[in-house]
């Protein structure tokens, strides 16, 4: 029964998986200050054998380089917590891209117009930079189910009153599952992006 439970928890846990999480982008408000997400730096620190699953790491038995690290968003584990295969984004996406999408959504929800290259006024828009210090998903084994988790920590900088000195925003998401399937990884990271957007929105509100 223990062996069956372990397989149910992990599936193909020894190999790498590719998932494609996302966040729904709302329309720009009709009015509001124009900003552009100028740069998102992936400042995450990876460890070879972290004691906590919330710390980014990569499977040493697989080829690893900076491109793989940029795409990594989670590490699979078996039912006893042993680290196994990686969870990556598609080749055309990075964790920095997902952070950028979430930050942009947070700005739109706060009444800002987020411009992209090709939009009128893009070059004149207020530049926003972000350091992604944490953006990672993991699971914690349980007796009857597992807990899927995601954590973000992003430092925002922009020549705006609320961000003049920089501001660190954090967000966490959690979900209970029967198995850590690829769809479960995709959904928890998508949920984490939504929570990060909410945190960005809250950070942009003027002090009362």
């Amino acid at each position: 029964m223990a062996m069956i439970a372990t397989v149910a928890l992990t599936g193909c846990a020894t190999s790498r998986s590719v998932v494609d999480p996302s966040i729904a982008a709302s329309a720009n408000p009709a009015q509001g200050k124009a900003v552009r997400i100028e740069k998102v730096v992936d400042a995450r620190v990876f460890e070879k054998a972290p004691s906590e699953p919330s710390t980014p790491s990569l499977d040493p038995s697989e080829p690893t380089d900076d491109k793989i690290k940029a795409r990594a968003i989670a590490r699979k584990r078996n039912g006893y917590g042993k680290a196994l295969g990686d969870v990556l984004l598609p080749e055309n996406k990075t964790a920095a891209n997902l952070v950028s999408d979430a930050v942009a959504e947070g700005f739109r929800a706060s009444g800002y117009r987020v411009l992209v290259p090709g939009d009128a006024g893009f070059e004149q828009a207020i530049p926003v930079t972000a350091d992604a210090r944490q953006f990672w998903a993991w699971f914690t084994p349980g007796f009857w189910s597992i807990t899927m988790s995601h954590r973000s920590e992003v430092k925002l900088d922009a020549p705006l009153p609320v961000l003049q000195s920089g501001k660190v925003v954090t967000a966490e998401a959690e979900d209970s599952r029967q198995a850590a399937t690829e769809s479960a990884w995709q959904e928890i990271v998508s949920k984490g992006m939504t929570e990060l957007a909410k945190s960005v929105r809250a950070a942009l509100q003027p002090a009362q």
Side-chain angles (χ1 to χ4, degrees):
M1 289 298 293
M3 291 178 64
I4 294 173
T6 300
V7 172
L9 284 171
T10 60
C12 298
T14 58
S15 60
R16 279 180 168 165
S17 291
V18 176
V19 300
D20 194 9
S22 62
I23 185 172
S26 57
N28 272 327
Q31 303 293 328
K33 291 181 180 180
V35 300
R36 68 177 191 269
I37 310 302
E38 184 161 283
K39 181 173 64 175
V40 176
V41 176
D42 188 342
R44 298 176 299 168
V45 177
F46 284 70
E47 295 183 10
K48 289 185 178 180
S51 58
E52 295 295 331
S54 57
T55 300
S57 64
L58 292 171
D59 183 354
S61 69
E62 294 273 10
T64 58
D65 54 30
D66 288 343
K67 290 183 178 179
I68 292 295
K69 185 180 294 185
R71 293 168 52 202
I73 54 172
R75 180 91 182 268
K76 302 177 190 177
R77 292 176 180 263
N78 65 18
Y80 301 101
K82 180 182 178 181
L84 299 171
D86 306 316
V87 181
L88 307 178
L89 297 171
E91 290 188 5
N92 62 333
K93 283 191 176 182
T94 66
N97 294 151
L98 301 192
V99 171
S100 179
D101 290 345
V103 169
E105 182 59 23
F107 269 86
R108 283 190 292 266
S110 297
Y112 292 84
R113 293 184 298 119
V114 181
L115 305 187
V116 298
D119 288 344
F122 173 77
E123 294 297 334
Q124 293 74 41
I126 298 168
V128 177
T129 61
D131 285 350
R133 299 174 174 177
Q134 176 79 319
F135 189 83
W136 198 252
W138 69 96
F139 82 76
T140 305
F143 188 73
W144 294 110
S145 63
I146 62 173
T147 300
M148 305 286 291
S149 304
H150 186 273
R151 181 179 298 152
S152 301
E153 180 181 326
V154 179
K155 182 176 183 290
L156 298 174
D157 286 279
L160 292 166
V162 292
L163 298 179
Q164 199 75 49
S165 301
K167 183 174 288 189
V168 176
V169 297
T170 60
E172 294 192 6
E174 195 172 276
D175 201 1
S176 180
R177 295 278 181 163
Q178 292 300 311
T181 60
E182 290 185 350
S183 62
W185 287 116
Q186 181 163 306
E187 288 169 17
I188 191 60
V189 177
S190 296
K191 187 174 182 179
M193 293 173 68
T194 298
E195 293 304 315
L196 176 57
K198 291 178 181 178
S199 294
V200 172
R201 178 185 182 184
L204 293 173
Q205 303 308 306
Q208 300 297 319

